Amino acid sequence: MPLHLLFPSSLSKLYSVAPSVDSFFVPNELVRNVMAPNGHSDLEKQRLLLHDHEEKHFTSSEVVRDIILGVSDGLTVPFALAAGLSGADVPSSIILIAGIAEVVAGSISMGLGGYLAAKSETDHYYRELKREQEEIISVPDIEAAEIAEILAQYGVEPHEYEPVVNALRRNPQAWLDFMMKFELGLEKPNPMRALQSAATIAFSYIVGGMVPLIPYMAIPIADKAVLASVGITLIALLIFGFVKGHFTGDRPFRSALQTALIGAVASAAAYSIAKLFRT
């Protein structure tokens, strides 16, 4: 006998509460934001991961480069000059005056060089920016094909990069930024970069250049002052080389020895040449 004849009322209640096929339909938005086991959606989970994760990257490479350039030249050039003049039996007072004059002139020269170099990089960036902007307007299809080519180099398939290409074409500024960064490899420069570079290099040169001159301020006899200058400067070069290696990713002890060796060779050459011509 059919069940509906035996339990008509029970079956009717069962059918009345049973879910229909339509009730099992899940919207796409809900599928995309499916809840993770900890109660957060995938999007929220990603945000939490990014919030909790702190990447320790060194991003001040340009400033460090300027400091390295200024200090290394500042330690080496006045050191070699003072050693050379000491080899020529010049009094400490004369060596000090000549050394200070060299530090002043060298800091101006190095700072000006840093300013011109940074200014040239900025001018080059904006020239290429204008050219790329004109190409996006005049030949957009070619520029779009270049986007596809760039993405393909990273292993992105055509059906994957086509939406990206279309999205960039709808946003001209993002399109321009993408082409500058990934096609030309150019980052937008800091407007104050030229002045900052000049000031950093000049100041670093002065700091480094005064180190080998300190003994000549206190010791009037050049032969004794040069020995103290050699000791102080070599220690400074070792410390500077170690710190430089730490920030640049090189082995610190190796960098320290290389930096000190370069300074020692420069000063020894200057001292020997002075002694040679003195005789």
Side-chain angles (χ1 to χ4, degrees):
M1 180 179 294
L3 292 176
H4 69 276
L5 296 178
L6 292 175
F7 309 102
S9 59
S10 300
L11 287 176
S12 62
K13 292 179 181 179
L14 179 62
Y15 285 126
S16 65
V17 298
S20 64
V21 175
D22 292 337
S23 67
F24 285 101
F25 174 75
V26 181
N28 291 333
E29 294 294 329
L30 185 57
V31 172
R32 284 193 291 267
N33 293 324
V34 61
M35 299 303 290
N38 60 0
H40 298 292
S41 68
D42 288 344
L43 182 59
E44 290 173 345
K45 188 176 180 181
Q46 291 174 2
R47 290 175 178 172
L48 288 173
L49 286 174
L50 292 175
H51 181 270
D52 296 336
H53 177 64
E54 181 181 357
E55 294 191 2
K56 297 180 180 180
H57 295 294
F58 188 72
T59 56
S60 300
S61 59
E62 292 181 341
V63 176
V64 171
R65 182 186 64 189
D66 291 341
I67 293 175
I68 290 174
L69 183 62
V71 174
S72 61
D73 278 14
L75 283 170
T76 304
V77 178
F79 180 37
L81 173 65
L85 292 175
S86 298
D89 295 333
V90 177
S92 290
S93 58
I94 301 299
I95 296 174
L96 181 60
I97 294 172
I100 293 175
E102 196 286 325
V103 169
V104 173
S107 63
I108 294 173
S109 175
M110 294 288 292
L112 181 60
Y115 176 85
L116 294 176
K119 187 68 168 57
S120 298
E121 291 178 0
T122 302
D123 293 342
H124 173 67
Y125 176 86
Y126 284 105
R127 280 196 304 270
E128 293 299 323
L129 181 70
K130 182 179 179 181
R131 183 178 301 155
E132 194 65 34
Q133 192 172 25
E134 292 173 352
E135 290 177 354
I136 288 175
I137 295 173
S138 59
V139 285
D141 292 337
I142 296 177
E143 293 297 303
E146 290 178 350
I147 297 176
E149 183 181 10
I150 293 170
L151 294 174
Q153 293 175 357
Y154 290 91
V156 184
E157 299 295 333
H159 69 277
E160 295 172 328
Y161 62 63
E162 284 178 2
V164 178
V165 174
N166 293 331
L168 288 174
R169 295 191 70 163
R170 291 193 300 268
N171 190 340
Q173 185 59 50
W175 187 358
L176 181 61
D177 293 340
F178 180 91
M179 300 304 289
M180 291 296 295
K181 182 177 294 186
F182 291 99
E183 183 191 18
L184 303 178
L186 297 176
E187 295 283 349
K188 186 176 181 179
N190 183 349
M192 299 298 295
R193 168 65 187 149
L195 291 175
Q196 290 174 352
S197 178
T200 303
I201 293 175
F203 180 75
S204 300
Y205 189 93
I206 292 172
V207 171
M210 294 305 297
V211 171
L213 300 179
I214 292 175
Y216 296 94
M217 299 178 184
I219 304 174
I221 302 175
D223 289 340
K224 295 181 179 179
V226 70
L227 295 177
S229 178
V230 169
I232 292 175
T233 306
L234 288 179
I235 293 173
L237 286 169
L238 286 170
I239 295 173
F240 169 69
F242 186 90
V243 174
K244 181 184 71 172
H246 174 74
F247 281 106
T248 58
D250 195 6
R251 287 182 289 182
F253 287 102
R254 179 182 177 182
S255 176
L257 292 175
Q258 286 179 341
T259 305
L261 180 61
I262 292 172
V265 169
S267 62
Y271 184 86
S272 301
I273 292 173
K275 279 291 185 183
L276 179 63
F277 283 98
R278 179 74 173 79
T279 57

